[in-house]
Amino acid sequence: MSTKVSLPSDPYRFSRIMYIIEAMVENFITILTSGAFLATLTKHLGVSDSMTAILSSITALSGLFQIIAVFVAHKTPVKRWVVPLQLLTHLLLCGLYLIPVIGFEKHASLLFFIFIIGANAIKSIKSSVKINWFYSMVKLENQGNFSAILTAVSVVGAIFFSLGASFVFDSFIDAGNTRGAFTVITVTILVLIVLDIIPLILSKEKAESRKRAPSPFSSLKGILSNPNFRILLILGVTQSLASGIAPPFLSTYQINELGFSLSFIAIIDTVVNIVWVCALLIFGKVSKSLPYATIMHISAFIHAISYAILIFVMPGNGMITFTLYRIFMIIQGSASAVSSRSLLFELVEPDNRASALAIYTMLTGVFSFLITLSVTPIFNSLQLSPIVLFGIELYAQQALAIASFAIMLVVNILWTVFSHRLCIKHQ
C-alpha cells in the first residue's frame, strides 16, 4: 500500500505571477514616458536639450520623497494605499502627452515639471513598500533568481512592445500627423494603466505586523547605525554621480547629433533587450552560488567599460559604438538588478528593509539629480565651445562620458577595498 505525501501549497505563487505581469506592463508605460519618446515630445514642444536632461533626471530628484516611505512603511495592509498611489502616478505621466493634444504648448516646460515631479514623487513614496510587499513572498536565497525572471519577462515583452510602438509612432510622424501620434500614445497609456492596476488588486499580501519607530529620527538612526549598510550606501551614492553626468544627455544625443530615428533606436533596443534577457538568466543562475556583493563588483567593472566606449561615440561610428555602449550598460544593469536589492536585504534586518531601500533610493537619486543640475551649465558651454582633444573636437556628451568614466574608476577601487566585508555566502 503506497502512501502519497502531499506537499504544502504555496499561497503566494499566484501573487508573484501577478507581480511579474504588473512589472512588465508598468515597464511599457515607462518606455512611452521616457528616453527617446520623451525626447521626441520635448523636441516637438521646443524644450531645450539641457532642460530635457533635467526633466529626465527629475526621477532622481523625486527620490527625496522616499523619506516619507520610512514613516509609512509600517502602515499595513500596504495594498490599500499603494494601489491608489500607483494609479495616480500613471495618470500624471499620461498627462505629459495631453500637453500637445489639448494645445498647452506655451506652458510646456512648467507642465512637464509639475507632471514629472508629481508622478515620480508619488512613485517614490510607494515603490520601496511595493517592492517589499512582493519580495516578502520570496525566500531570500531565491530573490536573485526571482529578480532575474521578473526583469527578463519585462524585457521580452518590451522587445515587441517597443518595436511596435516606435514604428507606429514614426508612421504618424512621417505622415505629418504629430498630434495623432501623441493621441495614440495617450490612449495606449490609458489602456496600460488598467492592465497594470488589475494584477495589483488580485494579489495577496503577506500578513505581518510592523513596529512603528518611537520617532522618525530613531528609525533613521537605527538603519544608519548598520556599518555594512553605510558602506553599501557610500558605494551607491558614488556610482550615482557617474550615472548623473553623461546618461541624462544621451536621449537628445541620439536624435540630434547622431541622427537616429525612433525606428532605429527601437532596433538597438531589440538587440540590447536580447542581450539583457541572456545576461539576466546568467546572473540569476550565478547568484545562487556567488555572493551578491561579488556580482555588484562585477557590475561596477562593466559599468566603467561602458563609459569608456561612450567616450568614442560620434556620428561617424554612432550606429556601432552607441549600440556597444548600450550592450555593456545593459549587462552591468542586469548584474545590478539581480544583486543590488538582494544584497541590501541581506545586510539589513527584515523590519528595516523597506525603510533602508527607501533611504538608499532617496540618497542615490538626489545626488544623481544634483550632479546633473551642476553639469548642465558645463554641458551648455561645451555645446557652444567644444573641447579639442588630440586634434579631435569632442561633442559635449563625449566630454561628460570622460567624467563618468573617471568616477567609475573610483567606484571600482572602493569595491575592491570593501567588497569582502559585504560578501555573505548563501546557504
Side-chain angles (χ1 to χ4, degrees):
M1 181 177 179
S2 61
T3 303
K4 291 185 179 180
V5 179
S6 59
L7 297 175
S9 60
D10 183 354
Y12 301 112
R13 182 174 180 272
F14 177 77
S15 296
R16 291 195 298 269
I17 294 173
M18 288 295 98
Y19 183 45
I20 291 172
I21 295 172
E22 186 275 332
M24 178 181 66
V25 177
E26 186 176 25
N27 187 44
F28 294 165
I29 297 174
T30 300
I31 289 171
L32 295 179
T33 56
S34 62
F37 282 94
L38 183 65
T40 303
L41 178 58
T42 56
K43 181 180 179 181
H44 170 76
L45 296 173
V47 180
S48 66
D49 290 1
S50 57
M51 180 57 72
T52 299
I54 293 174
L55 290 171
S56 299
S57 300
I58 288 293
T59 304
L61 176 64
S62 61
L64 273 171
F65 293 89
Q66 287 272 357
I67 195 66
I68 298 176
V70 176
F71 309 135
V72 299
H74 69 282
K75 293 183 179 295
T76 57
V78 300
K79 177 179 176 179
R80 66 185 177 188
W81 59 270
V82 166
V83 174
L85 291 184
Q86 179 95 342
L87 175 61
L88 183 55
T89 297
H90 293 330
L91 289 175
L92 286 171
L93 289 174
C94 183
L96 294 174
Y97 286 97
L98 287 175
I99 296 173
V101 171
I102 296 177
F104 288 161
E105 285 89 343
K106 290 183 179 180
H107 307 287
S109 294
L110 177 61
L111 290 173
F112 255 76
F113 182 82
I114 293 173
F115 288 155
I116 291 181
I117 193 67
N120 286 288
I122 297 170
K123 183 178 180 180
S124 294
I125 294 171
K126 56 85 182 171
S127 62
S128 60
V129 179
K130 175 187 163 192
I131 290 169
N132 193 54
W133 165 13
F134 286 97
Y135 270 75
S136 66
M137 303 182 223
V138 185
K139 293 181 179 179
L140 189 58
E141 63 269 20
N142 293 332
Q143 285 185 359
N145 195 47
F146 178 72
S147 295
I149 295 172
L150 178 78
T151 311
V153 171
S154 293
V155 173
V156 172
I159 291 175
F160 299 101
F161 180 82
S162 181
L163 273 175
S166 298
F167 281 114
V168 169
F169 190 83
D170 278 347
S171 66
F172 275 92
I173 297 296
D174 293 340
N177 188 5
T178 305
R179 178 165 293 188
F182 295 141
T183 302
V184 169
I185 289 184
T186 302
V187 174
T188 302
I189 293 175
L190 289 172
V191 173
L192 291 173
I193 289 173
V194 175
L195 297 178
D196 178 77
I197 295 299
I198 289 175
L200 291 179
I201 294 174
L202 296 177
S203 296
K204 292 182 180 180
E205 180 178 344
K206 193 172 185 179
E208 55 182 357
S209 60
R210 299 171 192 165
K211 294 181 180 179
R212 181 175 184 175
S215 72
F217 295 105
S218 65
S219 177
L220 291 173
K221 183 179 179 181
I223 296 168
L224 295 175
S225 64
N226 184 328
N228 289 333
F229 175 70
R230 289 202 304 268
I231 291 173
L232 182 64
L233 190 60
I234 291 170
L235 289 165
V237 166
T238 308
Q239 187 161 338
S240 73
L241 298 179
S243 300
I245 294 178
F249 299 91
L250 296 180
S251 294
T252 54
Y253 191 47
Q254 296 175 73
I255 293 173
N256 297 335
E257 286 84 355
L258 299 180
F260 295 166
S261 66
L262 282 178
S263 298
F264 180 73
I265 293 172
I267 293 172
I268 295 179
D269 288 341
T270 302
V271 174
V272 168
N273 286 337
I274 292 172
V275 175
W276 196 357
V277 173
C278 295
L280 282 168
L281 295 177
I282 292 172
F283 284 118
K285 186 175 183 180
V286 168
S287 70
K288 291 185 176 181
S289 55
L290 275 183
Y292 291 128
T294 300
I295 300 176
M296 285 293 290
H297 193 179
I298 294 170
S299 173
F301 178 73
I302 300 173
H303 202 170
I305 294 175
S306 67
Y307 288 127
I309 296 172
L310 183 60
I311 294 171
F312 298 97
V313 175
M314 57 185 64
N317 60 27
M319 288 187 174
I320 296 174
T321 53
F322 192 80
T323 302
L324 284 175
Y325 158 75
R326 289 285 312 280
I327 287 173
F328 275 87
M329 278 293 283
I330 213 64
I331 292 174
Q332 74 83 21
S334 301
S336 180
V338 166
S339 56
S340 60
R341 190 180 298 123
S342 299
L343 175 59
L344 185 148
F345 281 13
E346 276 187 335
L347 301 176
V348 178
E349 301 81 4
D351 286 345
N352 290 330
R353 285 171 182 168
S355 298
L357 183 59
I359 292 170
Y360 183 89
T361 307
M362 177 187 69
L363 291 181
T364 53
V366 168
F367 276 92
S368 179
F369 176 79
L370 290 177
I371 196 69
T372 300
L373 201 62
S374 300
V375 302
T376 296
I378 300 173
F379 173 80
N380 291 333
S381 177
L382 290 172
Q383 281 194 318
L384 296 174
S385 303
I387 293 176
V388 178
L389 188 64
F390 303 118
I392 301 175
E393 187 176 285
L394 299 181
Y395 287 95
Q397 286 85 348
Q398 290 176 286
L400 296 183
I402 295 174
S404 290
F405 173 70
I407 292 176
M408 283 310 304
L409 290 181
V410 174
V411 171
N412 276 276
I413 293 173
L414 292 174
W415 269 110
T416 301
V417 173
F418 293 112
S419 62
H420 68 283
R421 289 192 55 176
L422 305 182
C423 283
I424 298 176
K425 292 184 179 180
H426 303 161
Q427 297 298 323

